[in-house]
Amino acid sequence: MFMGLIQPEYAMDRFQAIVDRESEIDAPSWSAQHTTERQSLYTPSMFIPEAVEENHYIPVTAVINRISQDEQAIYHTIKHILKYPFIKEIYINNQFRRRPLSEELFQDLTFNRSKHDHTTLHIIQPDNYDMARFSTCAHNATYSHCYFQDDLALNLYMDTQYTNFIKYPSLIHANARPSTYVDHQKWRFQRGNDLHVGYAQFRYGAIVEKSLVQAFVDTQTVGHHADINFVIWSNQYPWILANPLTVGDELATAVDPINNRNAVQRYMPQEASSPQPAERYDRASCANDHCLFTTSMSPYDSISVDREFNTENITSIQHWETLYQDMDVPSPDAFTANSFHYAVDNNPRTCWNSYAYPKEDDFIGLHMVGTIQAKRIIIHLRRPIQDADDLFKVTVSPRIFEWRDCKVSRIPEYQNSQRIALHLDDCAGVKAWNSVRIAFTKDLEEPIEICGFDVDNMII
């Protein structure tokens, strides 16, 4: 049984090592983030009941855990979240009994965005703080999904995380720092159709289905370290975006065993949720939070441990990790230096490295928040691609799950050895698109390094 394998001290140490790497700065990062200008591309009018019936957007309840004793941390967290109209109500779990919160702290914030759009605020003093975010979601949330976050850092990628979420709302969606993304990829365990589980942290921002949380709360017998237990219990591979978030110190996190598998079995999916991890192409948010970088190429998608995860084959998490040592995957340091977000961080000096050699039909691309009427796409490279003529074919998506082929041409005045300039001449009548994929028409003989995109006049 999976949980039996994570009881040794080694597993405790490994989880804590991840926590330590994610807490490598002393001060909470909200103080450096709150001056960042952010404005949601979603509008309040999109989330009134009449509009939701047409656009199928999903209103969300936010559940924020107060971790910092500095009241300004929770204040700026709420101020930031109020910018996003898909958040319709907010609950604060205050863990500090001797430092109660009052709604007066937030009296200068705008909770009425428009005549028909009001966000409510509730402050809760939970009895069981380990289970607080889940209990609050299960018992108090009005809406079908909950957004989880702590107050040590602002989630600067809420629009893009939400955009990815609404495609597959039954999945767990979470952010991870690039420095720990490798752990998230390695800590995916499978055993036939019975076990298919991954790892995620919720303090950077996560969206989960309320019904899943309710089932967890109804069957959970262990309250400690509930975040990790929930992901493992859910028997899901979370969808992880590798976003460069930073946080300060957090409460110690480890793993407790759960020995109630029989009780919760009826709530577990019998097959891994779609899409499979290798088909989760949205990898990281653009720095401006207006798009996501998408690619079919990840050094971890094609790698799998050729053993079922059980106590006969795998004796510990340490044993599991050693199986990756001889595989052709980048080290955590190598991945962090060339992570997905560097393709879209608006910095021409930093680049994403595909690591693997692109094959025919592999692709890079962008998934926009909303749609864009754009004809010119420029790809910035770290080094030239040999024999790049007729190397790409382009498809665009006017709406989710619908793709159209494009006729494209090069733009000589914008092109050089480290820049590929494409003009979308005709995309089967599509004027505005939501996503674009730029696919290779042949195999390459070396990895590709992408340092940025220009989409018409938008520099990404």
Side-chain angles (χ1 to χ4, degrees), residues 176 186 247 351:
K186 288 182 178 180
V247 296
C351 308

Side-chain angles (χ1 to χ4, degrees), residues 90-124:
I90 302 171
Y91 284 87
I92 300 173
N93 290 321
N94 177 40
Q95 71 162 327
F96 302 109
R97 295 187 178 278
R98 296 182 180 181
R99 299 180 67 90
L101 285 176
S102 168
E103 292 185 12
E104 293 181 359
L105 175 65
F106 310 99
Q107 62 184 353
D108 65 326
L109 300 182
T110 302
F111 290 87
N112 293 289
R113 299 187 183 98
S114 66
K115 180 180 178 181
H116 303 289
D117 183 54
H118 177 68
T119 302
T120 59
L121 176 68
H122 310 272
I123 300 172
I124 294 176

Side-chain angles (χ1 to χ4, degrees), residues 296 357-363 393 439-444:
S296 61
Y357 297 2
K359 303 294 185 184
E360 182 179 354
D361 293 328
D362 276 337
F363 65 84
K393 57 184 178 182
F440 296 90
T441 59
K442 59 185 177 183
D443 296 352
L444 297 190

Side-chain angles (χ1 to χ4, degrees), residues 351-371:
C351 308
W352 164 71
N353 189 317
S354 67
Y355 194 79
Y357 297 2
K359 303 294 185 184
E360 182 179 354
D361 293 328
D362 276 337
F363 65 84
I364 55 176
L366 298 169
H367 176 192
M368 312 303 296
V369 175
T371 58

Side-chain angles (χ1 to χ4, degrees), residues 45-163:
S45 62
M46 296 176 179
F47 295 90
I48 62 176
E50 296 82 0
V52 169
E53 289 182 3
E54 296 292 330
N55 59 32
H56 303 296
Y57 288 163
I58 302 173
V60 175
T61 296
V63 180
I64 311 301
N65 277 8
R66 184 191 180 195
I67 300 296
S68 173
Q69 296 193 50
D70 186 344
E71 289 186 348
Q72 288 300 299
I74 191 64
Y75 172 85
H76 284 288
T77 299
I78 301 306
K79 181 180 180 181
H80 179 73
I81 287 175
L82 284 171
K83 297 178 181 180
Y84 299 91
F86 45 85
I87 302 295
K88 303 295 287 183
E89 64 180 355
I90 302 171
Y91 284 87
I92 300 173
N93 290 321
N94 177 40
Q95 71 162 327
F96 302 109
R97 295 187 178 278
R98 296 182 180 181
R99 299 180 67 90
L101 285 176
S102 168
E103 292 185 12
E104 293 181 359
L105 175 65
F106 310 99
Q107 62 184 353
D108 65 326
L109 300 182
T110 302
F111 290 87
N112 293 289
R113 299 187 183 98
S114 66
K115 180 180 178 181
H116 303 289
D117 183 54
H118 177 68
T119 302
T120 59
L121 176 68
H122 310 272
I123 300 172
I124 294 176
Q125 192 79 49
D127 294 326
N128 182 347
Y129 196 74
D130 284 316
M131 285 288 290
R133 70 167 99 244
F134 301 105
S135 298
T136 299
C137 175
H139 300 314
N140 300 95
T142 302
Y143 300 98
S144 63
H145 290 76
C146 293
Y147 169 80
F148 294 149
Q149 184 192 326
D150 294 347
D151 69 345
L152 295 184
L154 307 184
N155 181 359
L156 300 179
Y157 307 100
M158 289 189 66
D159 262 5
T160 44
Q161 187 176 32
Y162 181 82
T163 298

